Each structure stands twice: as C-alpha cells, then as structure tokens.
Amino acid sequence: PNKKSATEFEDEIARTIKDIRDDCACLVLAIHHLSKSSETDANGGYEPKIAHVRGSSRLLDFCNTLMLLHRPGFYNDVVEMGDRMGIDIRQMFVVNIALQRSGGGGYVPMYCDLSTNRFEESSR
C-alpha cells in the first residue's frame, strides 16, 4: 500500500540507483523495460529509441551510459527483408550506445548464440 504516485516511486528508484553508484564507486547495471511502441514501429525495423524507455526520465538523468539492445532477427518481416538482401540476421544482436556522458556512442553489431550465451562482434 504505497501512497506515492508512480512518478514519485520511479524517481525514488532512480535516486537509489544513483546513491548506490556514488557511495560504492561501482558499476551498476539497471535493466529497464521499453514501451510497447517500440514493438509496433516496423518502418524503423523495431529498433528501440531513447523515447521508448518507460517510466521516469530521472533514470536517464542519472545514468552514465544508456545501451539499447535489439534483436532484429526476432521479427519475421525484418528477417524476410534481410533474406531478400542476402543478409542473415537471425542471430544478429545490436548494441546501441544511445547515451554516454563522456561522449561518443554508436552501434555495435554482434552475432549471438543464445544457447551458449556467446556473443561476438560482427565484422560485417
């Protein structure tokens, strides 16, 4: 029976993560879900964007790096398009460094074998 609004609760979580990071001087990985709008954008290849991060924007205020993970091979229409272009994306995994406090960013295409949790950077 929490008397806080959803926004207040999410802000408290973001502040707690920041406090842990600052107090312990350690790496904190927070896994966050995306809005369902990322699942419906076929024109963008269903690629997640910063705008799809659900909940408090405070999490984005406190994080040093925001990585968006994308599995284009999860979507049959994207796989079919890749097949027509001669590209097998079934095991592709894309890491988008969407926000980084120290600058930089970009995409890291990878291939993954989820049965063994093996990831390799793609040279393609």
Side-chain angles (χ1 to χ4, degrees):
N2 193 338
K3 301 287 184 194
K4 297 179 183 179
S5 71
T7 302
E8 290 172 323
F9 185 65
E10 290 166 354
D11 283 350
E12 183 178 323
I13 291 171
R15 276 192 304 278
T16 301
I17 291 170
K18 178 193 175 293
D19 290 345
I20 292 170
R21 180 198 70 193
D22 294 346
D23 292 346
C24 299
C26 64
L27 172 69
V28 176
L29 296 175
I31 298 174
H32 205 298
H33 58 283
L34 300 174
S35 67
K36 291 186 179 185
S37 61
S38 65
E39 294 287 319
T40 60
D41 185 13
N43 291 332
Y46 309 100
E47 179 183 346
K49 309 274 188 260
I50 292 175
H52 294 141
V53 176
R54 282 193 62 181
S56 172
S57 63
R58 301 292 290 159
L59 189 61
L60 296 175
D61 293 341
F62 293 137
C63 73
N64 290 328
T65 303
L66 172 68
M67 293 185 288
L68 299 170
L69 308 178
H70 179 45
R71 288 178 48 202
F74 186 76
Y75 305 96
N76 291 333
D77 53 339
V78 178
V79 169
E80 289 171 10
M81 184 172 50
D83 288 345
R84 286 192 301 271
M85 296 171 60
I87 303 168
D88 183 10
I89 63 168
R90 286 170 183 80
Q91 292 183 317
M92 181 178 263
F93 193 92
V94 180
V95 179
N96 175 4
I97 312 298
L99 176 71
Q100 187 162 292
R101 217 175 275 286
S102 62
Y107 293 85
V108 181
M110 305 184 85
Y111 281 91
C112 63
D113 179 355
L114 294 177
S115 66
T116 61
N117 288 326
R118 180 181 170 91
F119 293 81
E120 288 182 17
E121 189 172 351
S122 171
S123 59
R124 299 179 209 181

